[in-house]
Structures are given as C-alpha cells and as structure tokens.
Amino acid sequence: MQLRIEANTLPGRTCHAGPDFPGASAIEVAVQRKDRPAELLDPQPGDAADARWAFDCTVTDAGELRGPYVQNRLGGRFVYLSWLGRRPDEETARMFRRAKLMLAEVPPGVLDEARRRGALVARLALTDAKGNPVCGRVVPPAVEWSAAEPS
C-alpha cells in the first residue's frame, strides 16, 4: 500500500526566534527514514505552495502500518516530518523541529478502504497558530486521513 502525505500552508523559509530558540532560516521539510534521522525523503522548501511525499508500506493483519518511513516508539506508530534549517551564524542546516503523524489515529474504516484501494492519504497544513512549522503529535482534526488510488 502507498502512504501519501499532501501538505499545504507551509510556513515560509524562516522560523522565528523564541525564548529558548535562536530561530532558523533556509527551512525545508522532509519525511525521515525510520531510525535514520539523516536520511530524508525529498526535502521541500518551507515556502513551497504545497509539498507531497509518497512511499510504500505494508499493513499487518493487526492493522499496523510498517515500512522504511514508519517509526515505532512508545506511544505508537507514526511518520516524522522533519524540519531542517540553519541557525544564525551556522552554515550547515540541521533538524530543529519534527512533527509526528500518528498512524493509530487513522480511523479503522479509512484504513480498510485504503487497503482495498491501494493508498492512504494524509492531508494537513504545516503552519502552526504562531506562523511557525508544525511540530509535536499531529492528530485529527489537524490531519485528515482518506483512502485513494495510488499515484
């Protein structure tokens, strides 16, 4: 089965400084490979009109998704969207924030339909209420899950 992420409303190329964060520029976002934070799938600029990723995964008989981009930690299975950027006075970009698309929050009926049709789709906005990159656990209604045909 294909897992497809369709993101919109990206925050731009700058993340504002905060009390414990110096800010970041040249922001990009990508899907992180399982247990390999440096391996990123198709980084997209933070000011893109939209961003899309697609990759193969499997669904176990118990309804769990598995694959090279599906993480499995305490709290359940998820996909990391990793935000990269350069901090002031740094030349190399590094990860500064991540969002977790929580796969346990996919409604069972949607997962069943996705297995039948061939693709599970996550649609979400990537800008938080403060105008910065989304981070932390992402669950409905912040993400909409649906079934579709593979792309």
Side-chain angles (χ1 to χ4, degrees), residues 7 12 40 76 83 91 102 126:
L40 302 170
W83 292 96
E91 292 186 25
M102 302 306 297
L126 291 182

Side-chain angles (χ1 to χ4, degrees), residues 61-150:
D61 291 339
E64 292 183 334
L65 286 109
R66 295 191 177 171
Y69 296 97
V70 177
Q71 311 284 331
N72 184 22
R73 300 279 187 276
L74 293 176
R77 293 183 186 278
F78 59 91
V79 173
Y80 267 137
L81 292 177
S82 293
W83 292 96
L84 308 163
R86 288 193 309 266
R87 293 185 180 190
D89 302 323
E90 291 183 342
E91 292 186 25
T92 304
R94 63 175 161 156
M95 184 192 46
F96 67 92
R97 184 174 272 200
R98 291 190 290 201
K100 289 169 118 176
L101 297 181
M102 302 306 297
L103 299 172
E105 300 295 325
V106 176
V110 171
L111 185 57
D112 291 343
E113 180 70 8
R115 285 170 101 171
R116 189 181 69 70
R117 294 182 64 190
L120 176 65
V121 181
R123 289 185 184 90
L124 71 155
L126 291 182
T127 301
D128 69 13
K130 295 180 181 178
N132 287 322
V134 163
C135 66
R137 293 170 58 96
V138 181
V139 298
V143 59
E144 176 187 316
W145 295 101
S146 63
E149 305 298 320

